[in-house]
Amino acid sequence: MLDELIKEIDELNSQSLPWINQVKLDHIKLMLKDSESKLRNRKSDLHLSASAMAFTDQAGIFIRHPYLHTILLPAGHVEMGESPFECALREFHEETGLNADPKFRRLIDVNLIDIPANPIKHEGVHQHIDFRYLIHLLPELPGTAELPVFYLDEAKSPNEFSKYFFLIK
């Protein structure tokens, strides 16, 4: 698995995306190598997560996080036997009720995110190495969303995600 994650990050470097920071990605690759055995352990201080950026018309699709009470991309922890991309698709569907095309796969960013303690899940303060994917929606009727879903244009989206609107221009 580690080799696949490193390869994805290296492929991300070859894209001409204005937000890509080589120093950050090199640091994340080192963290992955040093922490591979604990990335899927919810009791560790470093977790592997994945998120999905999807657009419809000129709007990005976001959710309201139930614990952090803020607008974020649909995302979640990568489970055992699951790739980050598979996680991004699964979480996107669970949280929004929408379906994405599993044949379209594009990593657009990898980030290190500080996560506060969550006593409800018995998780202490930790960090996520978050693989962010651009996904394409399938023209299917939506199912039931687990979380409130928001369709926001670039001006209304959280600052952290407004840069991704570059992908639809």
Side-chain angles (χ1 to χ4, degrees), residues 52-56 59-62 73-74 92 98 100 133-137:
M53 180 78 237
F55 295 99
T56 179
I61 301 173
F62 300 91
L73 295 176
F92 183 79
L98 301 169
Y133 294 90
L134 175 65
I135 62 172
H136 286 175
L137 296 176

Side-chain angles (χ1 to χ4, degrees), residues 130-144:
D130 186 59
F131 281 65
R132 289 189 179 158
Y133 294 90
L134 175 65
I135 62 172
H136 286 175
L137 296 176
L138 289 173
E140 299 173 355
L141 292 173
T144 304

Side-chain angles (χ1 to χ4, degrees), residues 37-48 78:
S37 64
K38 65 181 185 176
L39 290 174
R40 292 185 171 134
N41 177 355
R42 295 257 184 127
K43 302 295 181 204
S44 73
D45 59 350
L46 187 64
H47 302 181
L48 185 60
V78 179

Side-chain angles (χ1 to χ4, degrees), residues 52-71:
M53 180 78 237
F55 295 99
T56 179
D57 297 319
Q58 296 296 308
I61 301 173
F62 300 91
I63 53 91
R64 177 174 297 285
H65 192 279
Y67 177 66
L68 300 175
H69 307 291
T70 190
I71 302 296

Side-chain angles (χ1 to χ4, degrees), residues 26-41:
D26 287 343
H27 176 69
I28 290 172
K29 287 193 311 188
L30 285 174
M31 292 179 75
L32 284 168
K33 290 175 184 175
D34 291 342
S35 306
E36 182 180 14
S37 64
K38 65 181 185 176
L39 290 174
R40 292 185 171 134
N41 177 355

Side-chain angles (χ1 to χ4, degrees), residues 42 48-54 61-79 82 84 86-100 115 118 121 128 130-133 135 137 142-151 161:
R42 295 257 184 127
L48 185 60
S49 66
S51 53
M53 180 78 237
I61 301 173
F62 300 91
I63 53 91
R64 177 174 297 285
H65 192 279
Y67 177 66
L68 300 175
H69 307 291
T70 190
I71 302 296
L72 296 172
L73 295 176
H77 289 90
V78 179
E79 303 294 339
E82 182 178 57
E86 291 166 335
C87 173
L89 292 178
R90 176 181 53 78
E91 290 288 349
F92 183 79
H93 175 70
E94 289 173 2
E95 293 180 355
T96 69
L98 301 169
N99 294 301
I115 306 295
N118 184 342
K121 291 186 175 182
H128 283 188
D130 186 59
F131 281 65
R132 289 189 179 158
Y133 294 90
I135 62 172
L137 296 176
T144 304
E146 286 182 353
L147 300 174
V149 178
F150 299 89
Y151 295 81
F161 309 115

Side-chain angles (χ1 to χ4, degrees), residues 144-164:
T144 304
E146 286 182 353
L147 300 174
V149 178
F150 299 89
Y151 295 81
L152 304 174
D153 64 20
E154 183 176 2
K156 293 181 181 164
S157 72
N159 288 340
E160 176 185 357
F161 309 115
S162 63
K163 63 188 171 196
Y164 300 135

